Structures are given as structure tokens and as C-alpha cells.
Amino acid sequence: MKKMRMNIADRKNIRTPLTWAAVVVVVFSLFPILALAGVDRASADDWSFGLLTHLAWVDTHSLLQVLRAAFASVKKYYFTWQGTWFSVFLFSLQPEVFSHDAYWIVPVLMTGLLIGGVSDFLYCLLVRFLHISRQDFLLLDAILLFVLIQFVPYQTSAIFWYNGAAHYTVPFALVMAACARFLRYVQDFRKRDLILAALWMTLLGGTNYLTAIFGLGLFVLFTALFFRRDRRVFFMLIPMVFEIAGLLVSALAPGNAVRGGSHYQITAWGMIEAVGKALVQGARGIGSSFWEYPVAMAAMLVLAVFLWDILREKISELQLHFPCPGLVILYLWGLYCAVYWPVLFVGGSVSDGSVSVGVPNTIFWVFVVSLFGSLLYGLGWICEKSGGRGEGLRLSVYAVGFAAAFLILAVCRMDLKNSTDYACYYYIRSGKAAVYKEQMDELTDILTDESIEDAVVPYIVGEQEPLVHLPVTLDKDEWSNQKMALFFRKKSLVAVPRDEWEARREIR
């Protein structure tokens, strides 16, 4: 008995320094994002969706009037553009509605929501439900967050652009928060958790369809896994019904047909055909993801090694059970394929870039969560069947797993240049961030000058990624010109080449 306790203590001691190393890496990896926060500015759809609320704030400085304007925006776009009512509500509250210096909060907020949502879900799953130690939870959570944040395909729409992040990052955080409430409810059956789960799922029904399908699918899975534990789990059908209701409100919006144009139509055959296409494209996506994100997969391999070691301890201590692993894992990957369905149903394609860049972000996040779920359930079943044994294999598994991960990292290190940190670091280090900030400050000064009615601004030059800027053009009737002019209450707004603008300024 004493020897067994020493072995368990030794295993935990080995993971302790690695846990704190992983936490430190994740914390430091946030610094480049935060460093770029002060440069971030509103752009594109931010101006149009935030128009009514901004004017209400400028005129009244009343939060009640702003909320009324937000609901008016939802009504307007529900009939003229799209039915995603909660997303539009969020769009209308973009930070520059209240202050032209407030947009820095976007990357802070979106990164915080992603970290909070994922960590809440993992804590409920690993610590509260599987009784894994908080230290081991921190280790697994740090690795998973690092992958989700650093290797998201398009950092702009995930972190820095409010409109894109509100439509994709916020709903993903909502899914994680709702699933956390499900797991809390399974343990304590408190009405508060049921009510919060219902609220999050209802709001999820008013966002993008990909994440809504993912959330609904996870609730179905958890209901199937836990209904034998207590029949009160079936009360979680209530949040599912609420989400479906929210989805129906969104799907039946007249604005969907307006945006879809003359070819927009909903048919049973189109839905069925999209299912087949989703399975095909999803299967391709599974295979391609392993090749497109090699460094992220190396990190997931390391996570798998830690997860196997942690589960071996818990299997022997708590007699955990993982029934029907093949069916559960197949379901998870079927759910991954299902998130392709809305895109294919409306005739888009993830592979040819004909959809919003937020779609690949969501698909990547669902891929990582599905992979983590498959590893957790599959390794749990393996450990259950082996009775938690395999101490002799432990060193070999660590050695092989870490060696393979470092080999992938050595061979595919160029993939690190696609990471969020590298994108932020390069943008700052190259001086492009400073140039962009200077130009945007100059643009804001002109647009907020109340003495100017017909504004002439210089072109914004240089690269903006991972930030975003929809440029003002020479044509005052251009959509972007008109929306910005209305937002800043100008009669007209045009942009001219910088040398011409400098010449005009010298003449004045």
C-alpha cells in the first residue's frame, strides 16, 4: 500500500513542474494579443450595425435608449438582412458606440470569453465530474486553450474584429458555458443550473447555425450518457427546446430570403442533400486538419499522453466507466461533420473560401473539442479495460509521445508562423502596428471634428492583418463611406491618396 501511494505521488510530482510550465506559457502567450489591443479599431459592419445605438448614446447618454435602439436594430435587420437576432443585438453594441477609444476591449473580451467558457466546461467535466485534481485540470486546460487560441485559422474574426467575433467566438463560449451548466445540473440538480442552461441555449439559437447545431448535439450526447444516472436529466430537454425555438425564430426571418436573393429556397430535398455533402466534406476536413495544423496536433499528442496517465490513476481509484466508446466517438465526429451542414445547405463551401472567415474558426474549434472528447472517452475506456495498470508502460508512453511531438515540431516548425502570437508579434515588431495606429488616430480626429461636414480623409495604407479595416474610398456613395458618414454625422465622406490629402492640408 505504501509503495502504491509513493508511485501515485511520484506521478503527480512529475506532472507538477510541467503543469506550471504550461500555465506560464499560456499566460505569456496572451501578451502579444494584449499588446495589440490598443491598436485595434472598429471597421466594416461595426459602423452599420452600431449606427442606431451610437446615435442614441450621443443624443441621450441613456443606456435605456441604447437598448431600445439595439432592439430596433434587431427588428430592422430581421426583416431586411438575416434572422440571427442575438448576434445582431450584440453587433449593435460594438464598443465604439459608446467611445471612440473603447475598441481595445474587443481582443480582451473575446479572449477572456474563450478562456472562461472552455475552462468552466473543463473544470466541471474533469474536476467536478471525473474528480481529477485541480492541478491536472490546469495542465490539460492550458494545453487545450493554447491550441484553440494560437492556431485558430483567422485571428481577425476570432479575436480582433468585434462583429466577426460576436457572431462566432461568443456563441462558442456560450456552448461551453451551457455544457458546464448541464454537468453541474447532473451532479446537484439545482434549478439555477437548469435556468442558466436554458438561457444560454436560447441565446445560442439566435447566433450562427454552426455553433447552435454543435451545442444542441452536445446536449443530446450528455442526455444519452447520463439519463441512467437520474431521470431528472431529461429536464435538460427544456434548454434544447428553447434553443430550437430560437433557431426557428432565426430561420423564419423574412430577411433571410432578402439576403439569399432570388435563388433562396428551403426544400426537404435540399436539406437531405446537404447532409450527404456535410458527411463528405466533414470527413475531408478531419483528414486535412491533421495535416494543416501539425503543431497544434503535436500539442494534442502531448495532451493525450498526460490524459492517459491521469486517467490510469482515476480508473483504479473511482472505478470510472466508459461504455460504448466506438459509438460515442463516432457520434462526436458525426457532430463535427454536422457543423458543415448550414454552409452547404445555402450553397457555400468552406474549402473555396466562399463563406465568412468565422466559419473555418468555428469548424477548427469544434474539431479540437471533438478530438479532445474522443481522446478522453477512448483513453478512459482503454484504462478501464486494463484496470488502470500499465506502470511499466508509463515511461515508454511518455518517451514515445514526447519524441513524436518534438519531431513534428522540428519538421513543421514553419507552422508556428501561422500562430496568433507570431501574427501579433510580426505586426508590432515590423512597425506596421504603429503606422496603422497613427493613421487611424488621424482618421478619428477628422471624423470627430464637428466643424467638418464634408470629410476628406487620406487612404489608410499598409497591411492590417490580424486587424481589419474596410477602407474609405473616393466614391462618396460607396457603402463603407455612407455608413461611416452616418455614424459620425457627416454629410459626405471620401478618401483621397495621402499625397493629395497632404497637399490639400498645406493649402488650408
Side-chain angles (χ1 to χ4, degrees):
M1 178 66 71
K2 184 177 180 181
K3 183 177 180 180
M4 184 186 74
R5 288 177 180 173
M6 289 179 63
N7 287 338
I8 293 175
D10 288 343
R11 289 198 291 269
K12 290 181 178 178
N13 287 337
I14 290 174
R15 292 198 298 269
T16 298
L18 296 174
T19 297
W20 295 117
V23 171
V24 168
V25 168
V26 170
V27 170
F28 275 88
S29 72
L30 299 177
F31 287 176
I33 298 173
L34 298 179
L36 202 53
V39 185
D40 204 9
R41 295 298 176 88
S43 182
D45 293 345
D46 289 328
W47 306 119
S48 58
F49 285 106
L51 177 60
L52 296 181
T53 47
H54 175 66
L55 297 181
W57 176 253
V58 171
D59 290 340
T60 68
H61 279 75
S62 166
L63 289 176
L64 179 61
Q65 293 302 319
V66 170
L67 287 176
R68 286 179 177 174
F71 287 118
S73 296
V74 173
K75 181 179 179 180
K76 171 187 174 183
Y77 287 106
Y78 187 81
F79 287 96
T80 62
W81 180 71
Q82 188 167 288
T84 49
W85 49 272
F86 184 59
S87 287
V88 174
F89 179 78
L90 293 178
F91 295 165
S92 68
L93 298 176
Q94 66 101 343
E96 290 204 19
V97 162
F98 305 98
S99 171
H100 299 301
D101 299 318
Y103 210 78
W104 62 268
I105 201 173
V106 174
V108 177
L109 176 63
M110 297 307 167
T111 306
L113 286 173
L114 191 59
I115 293 173
V118 172
S119 299
D120 186 24
F121 170 63
L122 284 186
Y123 181 85
C124 292
L125 177 63
L126 300 178
V127 178
R128 291 175 60 92
F129 196 80
L130 296 180
H131 302 287
I132 288 174
S133 71
R134 287 181 173 84
Q135 176 183 296
D136 288 331
F137 152 72
L138 283 174
L139 175 60
L140 299 175
D141 187 44
I143 296 173
L144 198 62
L145 286 173
F146 184 81
V147 172
L148 291 171
I149 295 173
Q150 290 300 320
F151 297 100
V152 63
Y154 297 97
Q155 299 91 1
T156 299
S157 195
I159 298 172
F160 295 103
W161 181 36
Y162 179 82
N163 192 272
H167 196 43
Y168 293 100
T169 305
V170 172
F172 183 76
L174 275 177
V175 169
M176 296 291 97
C179 289
R181 287 296 157 182
F182 191 118
L183 295 175
R184 289 177 185 271
Y185 181 76
V186 169
Q187 285 193 309
D188 304 322
F189 296 102
R190 294 179 301 181
K191 291 181 180 179
R192 179 179 65 184
D193 294 319
L194 177 61
I195 292 171
L196 285 174
L199 175 61
W200 301 149
M201 291 291 278
T202 303
L203 297 179
L204 188 62
T207 63
N208 74 82
Y209 301 129
L210 288 78
T211 317
I213 288 175
F214 183 54
L216 192 62
L218 287 180
F219 265 56
V220 170
L221 175 62
F222 290 153
T223 302
L225 289 175
F226 299 134
F227 82 94
R228 291 181 181 273
R229 183 185 181 98
D230 193 303
R231 295 303 171 91
R232 284 176 292 180
V233 168
F234 283 116
F235 278 109
M236 276 295 164
L237 291 174
I238 296 174
M240 286 189 263
V241 170
F242 281 7
E243 190 204 313
I244 292 172
L247 276 171
L248 285 175
V249 171
S250 177
L252 296 176
N256 295 336
V258 175
R259 188 183 186 191
S262 59
H263 299 291
Y264 179 81
Q265 58 179 338
I266 299 177
T267 63
W269 172 247
M271 292 181 180
I272 296 172
E273 186 179 26
V275 170
K277 292 180 179 179
L279 290 172
V280 173
Q281 195 163 126
R284 292 174 179 169
I286 293 170
S288 63
S289 293
F290 285 99
W291 296 105
E292 291 176 2
Y293 309 105
V295 178
M297 294 306 101
M300 294 300 291
L301 178 59
V302 172
L303 181 145
V305 171
F306 288 132
L307 190 56
W308 172 79
D309 196 27
I310 293 166
L311 288 172
R312 286 192 311 120
E313 298 172 10
K314 291 303 169 186
I315 289 294
S316 58
E317 289 179 19
L318 302 174
Q319 296 298 310
L320 298 174
H321 299 289
F322 297 83
C324 306
L327 188 60
V328 171
I329 292 173
L330 183 63
Y331 177 87
L332 283 171
W333 290 110
L335 185 56
Y336 166 78
C337 293
V339 300
Y340 284 86
W341 182 86
V343 175
L344 296 168
F345 175 64
V346 297
S349 174
V350 178
S351 58
D352 66 7
S354 62
V355 295
S356 167
V357 292
V359 171
N361 290 345
T362 298
I363 288 176
F364 172 75
W365 286 333
V366 172
F367 172 83
V368 173
V369 172
S370 299
L371 179 58
F372 175 79
S374 300
L375 289 172
L376 175 63
Y377 209 90
L379 292 173
W381 179 80
I382 291 172
C383 291
E384 177 189 349
K385 291 304 178 183
S386 65
R389 298 184 299 273
E391 182 61 33
L393 291 174
R394 182 167 181 265
L395 182 60
S396 299
V397 170
Y398 266 85
V400 172
F402 275 76
F406 281 117
L407 179 62
I408 293 172
L409 186 61
V411 174
C412 305
R413 62 184 182 274
M414 290 297 292
D415 187 48
L416 289 170
K417 290 190 174 182
N418 296 322
S419 68
T420 299
D421 272 358
Y422 185 85
C424 294
Y425 171 78
Y426 173 76
Y427 193 59
I428 295 170
R429 183 69 179 85
S430 64
K432 294 177 180 179
V435 172
Y436 177 74
K437 184 178 187 304
E438 181 181 353
Q439 293 182 91
M440 291 304 292
D441 286 343
E442 186 177 58
L443 176 66
T444 303
D445 288 341
I446 296 172
L447 294 176
T448 55
D449 188 339
E450 296 182 358
S451 65
I452 299 175
E453 293 185 343
D454 296 295
V456 179
V457 300
Y459 284 129
I460 302 298
V461 298
E463 297 178 13
Q464 283 84 49
E465 291 187 2
L467 306 183
V468 62
H469 176 68
L470 186 65
V472 183
T473 70
L474 185 60
D475 182 5
K476 67 177 182 180
D477 295 323
E478 182 73 25
W479 179 85
S480 57
N481 294 44
Q482 289 185 339
K483 295 304 178 184
M484 288 184 69
L486 290 171
F487 192 92
F488 290 96
R489 285 183 163 166
K490 303 299 180 186
K491 289 184 178 179
S492 66
L493 173 63
V494 296
V496 298
R498 181 159 291 272
D499 56 351
E500 181 181 337
W501 182 81
E502 292 285 355
R504 290 189 182 189
R505 187 169 65 171
E506 288 179 5
I507 293 174
R508 291 197 300 270

